[in-house]
Amino acid sequence: MTMKLMFRNAMSLMLPLVTAVACSRPEPATRFTFDDVPPGFTTLRQLRSTYTLRNTTGTPIPGASLWVYVPVQETSYQALKSVEFSHPALLQKGMAQVVVELPPYGTKLVRVDFDVMQAAEAQVASVDAEDFLRPSPVVEATHPDVVARAKELKKDNVLATARAIHEFVAGHVREGGYDTTERGALYALQNQSGDCSEYSSLFVALARAAGVPSRRVSGYFCEGPCRNQNYHTWAEFHDGERWRLVDSQNKRFDVQTAGYVALELNEETVEAPLLGRHRFAVVVPGAGPEGGPVAVETQTTID
């Protein structure tokens, strides 16, 4: 899939990002379009997010960076069509950076619009299986307890194995309430508790231990009106041809995926400054990792 970049204001092509942000004129919007969306992706989903950044001090902030996730460019059920920002922006490894100038006690409203095409049925996607069989800090696929349980659950084929693992996780783990701490698969296995992160981590760890390529995915799960609280983590396994969606917390296996919009392939795209964060981060030069003197209010809707 190729990408095309267009600026609403052609003059911005001749200006570096920070210079364009620092000028007093309205900042030009930035739009990225992605060519060659495969023909199987026919349903449009539109994500609309706003971020209100507020300087809580009497000192101007010339370069506050808002970092946000960009929807995954292509999975078996999703293809990214376009991204538009109300301010100059840069794309980088599944993330976008928007730099704004904040006057003393001033605010700036940043709008981010994503158009995503979805497929009614999972599309063919080739993978390097070895990349999705390795352990990670929260997917302890080689721990003896995980390996032993996976051996018990393994069946004669990939689909049956994945279903058995899903049914085990859905019945084994209890809702522990939302927790910002990533406790991982081993915690969920041993303590039988967790939120969506632990459900997905345990499924992926057991699947990998059983030889089934799998990964964790985060984004929005919305069957009706979508809001910030609909941010969620689920899993996918590869059946040899396609990625299949599994949401053990909601007891959904290989389901129709229209309600899911993927923003993070957790172990593939998460880097600083979004490492360990969901949805967004604000970075201010010289301030701490929590955005320092910048307060943020955000709202997301999906049509």
Side-chain angles (χ1 to χ4, degrees), residues 113-146:
D113 296 341
F114 301 132
D115 284 354
V116 174
M117 303 302 295
Q118 291 189 324
E121 297 181 355
Q123 304 294 296
V124 173
S126 60
V127 300
D128 183 346
E130 291 300 318
D131 291 341
F132 302 98
L133 293 173
R134 302 186 183 102
S136 75
V138 296
V139 178
E140 302 97 330
T142 56
H143 190 279
D145 290 356
V146 174

Side-chain angles (χ1 to χ4, degrees), residues 17-18 20-22 27 62-66 87-90 97-101:
L17 178 63
V18 175
V21 170
E27 294 93 343
S65 290
L66 171 67
H87 294 68
L90 295 175
Q97 179 191 21
V98 180
V99 181
V100 298
E101 179 181 281

Side-chain angles (χ1 to χ4, degrees), residues 62-287:
S65 290
L66 171 67
W67 288 85
V68 299
Y69 286 106
V70 174
V72 177
Q73 189 168 342
E74 187 174 335
T75 72
S76 286
Y77 58 90
Q78 171 180 309
L80 183 58
K81 181 179 180 182
S82 66
V83 182
E84 184 170 345
F85 302 88
S86 58
H87 294 68
L90 295 175
L91 293 186
Q92 175 181 321
K93 294 183 179 180
M95 305 179 291
Q97 179 191 21
V98 180
V99 181
V100 298
E101 179 181 281
L102 292 171
Y105 301 109
T107 62
K108 190 79 71 172
L109 179 68
V110 178
R111 190 193 77 251
V112 182
D113 296 341
F114 301 132
D115 284 354
V116 174
M117 303 302 295
Q118 291 189 324
E121 297 181 355
Q123 304 294 296
V124 173
S126 60
V127 300
D128 183 346
E130 291 300 318
D131 291 341
F132 302 98
L133 293 173
R134 302 186 183 102
S136 75
V138 296
V139 178
E140 302 97 330
T142 56
H143 190 279
D145 290 356
V146 174
V147 172
R149 181 65 69 173
K151 185 177 180 180
E152 296 174 3
L153 296 169
K154 189 170 182 177
K155 306 298 180 184
D156 293 335
N157 59 70
V158 168
L159 187 62
T161 298
R163 185 182 294 277
I165 293 171
H166 158 71
E167 291 175 351
F168 168 77
V169 173
H172 181 77
V173 181
R174 301 185 304 273
E175 293 277 356
Y178 175 69
D179 189 340
T180 57
T181 302
E182 289 270 6
R183 300 190 181 278
L186 187 61
Y187 175 91
L189 180 63
Q190 295 177 342
N191 293 277
Q192 297 182 248
S193 179
D195 60 16
C196 60
S197 296
E198 282 68 54
Y199 278 88
S200 60
S201 292
L202 182 55
F203 176 89
V204 172
L206 289 169
R208 291 182 179 183
V212 178
S214 55
R215 63 188 183 186
R216 299 196 323 151
V217 184
S218 292
Y220 287 98
F221 169 49
C222 313
E223 292 185 299
C226 201
R227 298 292 182 265
N228 296 338
Q229 59 266 32
N230 293 105
Y231 207 80
H232 186 51
T233 300
W234 59 92
E236 292 179 348
F237 72 94
H238 200 271
D239 66 2
E241 292 186 346
R242 299 167 173 83
W243 288 108
R244 301 287 187 179
L245 190 149
V246 179
D247 185 353
S248 298
Q249 184 186 40
N250 288 310
K251 297 179 171 54
R252 298 164 66 94
F253 179 83
D254 194 20
V255 294
Q256 209 284 333
T257 57
Y260 294 83
V261 178
L263 268 71
E264 306 174 49
L265 300 179
N266 297 92
E267 296 164 271
E268 298 173 54
T269 60
V270 181
E271 298 183 4
L274 284 174
L275 182 64
R277 299 171 182 272
H278 291 310
R279 297 176 47 235
F280 71 91
V282 174
V283 178
V284 176

